[in-house]
Amino acid sequence: DAKTTQPNSMESNEEEPVHLPCNHSTISGTDYIHWYRQLPSQGPEYVIHGLTSNVNNRMASLAIAEDRKSSTLILHRATLRDAAVYYCILRASYSGGGADGLTFGKGTHLIIQP
Amino acid sequence: GAVVSQHPSRVICKSGTSVKIECRSLDFQATTMFWYRQFPKQSLMLMATSNEGSKATYEQGVEKDKFLINHASLTLSTLTVTSAHPEDSSFYICSAIRTGSSYEQYFGPGTRLTVT
């Protein structure tokens, strides 16, 4: 699996935007970029994913560099409930079904200050 | 939404006994489920892939005779830790993929296992 690199931790203030970077210089052309987050003592939850174009959903936005070697997860207005470990994960695309488990790196521990 | 439950949420057992953990997809069918393990302050590690009606596929280094997986229906997978030892104490998390989809995994809340 292609490897991702994320900062160990980041700190932000409540109600401010947060930009979480992820480097994936060895990404292949068919790899999707997925983001999951894990709140303390809970299972991970899906945040967002994309391939080439920037993506928006109710939770966050995903900005993907033109060369796809890096991406940024954007939380537009962080709240205390966004404090979690955020994982950037690459997954190969599939056709006709089938799926693999996720390979989690160490992720970024996001700390939100009130 | 898609909800995955796990039971029990916490379990304490004595060394040498077996423990069964259930993972259910509550509002969707899941042909494929996954089992992960997470030790304190570490990331999740994939243990095995569970496919409905067939044998599980284990990751390298995971003992299939110790961690028995059964996926007898499209909504239930079970993980049995046999002859548990203190080093098996961990946070066990399952995930499920909706049948016909492949991009989003829905995770359960996890089961905290403590072996004394």
Side-chain angles (χ1 to χ4, degrees):
Chain A
D1 291 333
K3 185 178 169 58
T4 63
T5 305
Q6 299 177 252
N8 287 335
S9 66
M10 289 185 66
E11 201 166 311
S12 181
N13 294 321
E14 198 175 9
E15 299 188 6
E16 289 186 358
V18 179
H19 291 233
L20 296 166
C22 180
N23 287 320
H24 28 78
S25 58
T26 60
I27 190 170
S28 75
T30 55
D31 283 340
Y32 282 80
I33 302 159
H34 287 247
W35 284 81
Y36 283 78
R37 72 179 186 181
Q38 185 178 22
L39 278 64
S41 299
Q42 296 187 28
E45 67 173 333
Y46 167 84
V47 178
I48 201 167
H49 81 285
L51 183 62
T52 56
S53 304
N54 294 345
V55 185
N56 299 298
N57 67 19
R58 63 175 179 80
M59 288 181 71
S61 295
L62 176 60
I64 301 172
E66 200 167 327
D67 63 7
R68 300 209 327 124
K69 293 186 176 181
S70 65
S71 61
T72 303
L73 178 71
I74 302 166
L75 306 179
H76 295 284
R77 198 160 164 265
T79 69
L80 295 177
R81 287 173 294 181
D82 291 321
V85 179
Y86 286 79
Y87 297 99
C88 169
I89 300 169
L90 302 183
R91 288 190 71 196
S93 63
Y94 296 94
S95 59
D100 292 335
L102 297 175
T103 300
F104 286 82
K106 295 185 177 179
T108 296
H109 184 198
L110 177 62
I111 300 164
I112 305 295
Q113 297 289 355
Chain B
V3 180
V4 175
S5 70
Q6 284 185 238
H7 178 80
S9 58
R10 289 178 176 271
V11 58
I12 300 173
C13 71
K14 293 189 175 180
S15 188
T17 62
S18 296
V19 174
K20 180 186 284 188
I21 302 170
E22 293 185 348
C23 175
R24 291 181 187 273
S25 54
L26 297 184
D27 51 1
F28 65 98
Q29 292 186 332
T31 307
T32 303
M33 292 184 171
F34 301 94
W35 287 96
Y36 297 83
R37 179 168 54 182
Q38 185 174 34
F39 292 108
K41 300 204 182 297
Q42 293 188 25
S43 192
L44 283 79
M45 292 293 293
L46 178 66
M47 297 176 67
T49 301
S50 169
N51 290 303
E52 187 265 338
S54 63
K55 287 185 179 180
T57 304
Y58 292 82
E59 295 298 302
Q60 192 171 7
V62 178
E63 300 174 57
K64 62 179 182 181
D65 294 330
K66 181 171 182 63
F67 299 99
L68 302 179
I69 292 172
N70 184 278
H71 192 156
S73 79
L74 286 172
T75 59
L76 173 65
S77 176
T78 60
L79 169 69
T80 301
V81 183
T82 62
S83 187
H85 288 99
E87 57 264 32
D88 298 323
S89 298
S90 188
F91 193 45
Y92 291 87
I93 307 168
C94 71
S95 71
I97 294 181
R98 189 192 303 267
T99 299
S101 171
S102 63
Y103 73 87
E104 184 175 343
Q105 289 193 20
Y106 301 97
F107 284 83
T111 296
R112 178 78 58 190
L113 170 64
T114 303
V115 184
T116 61

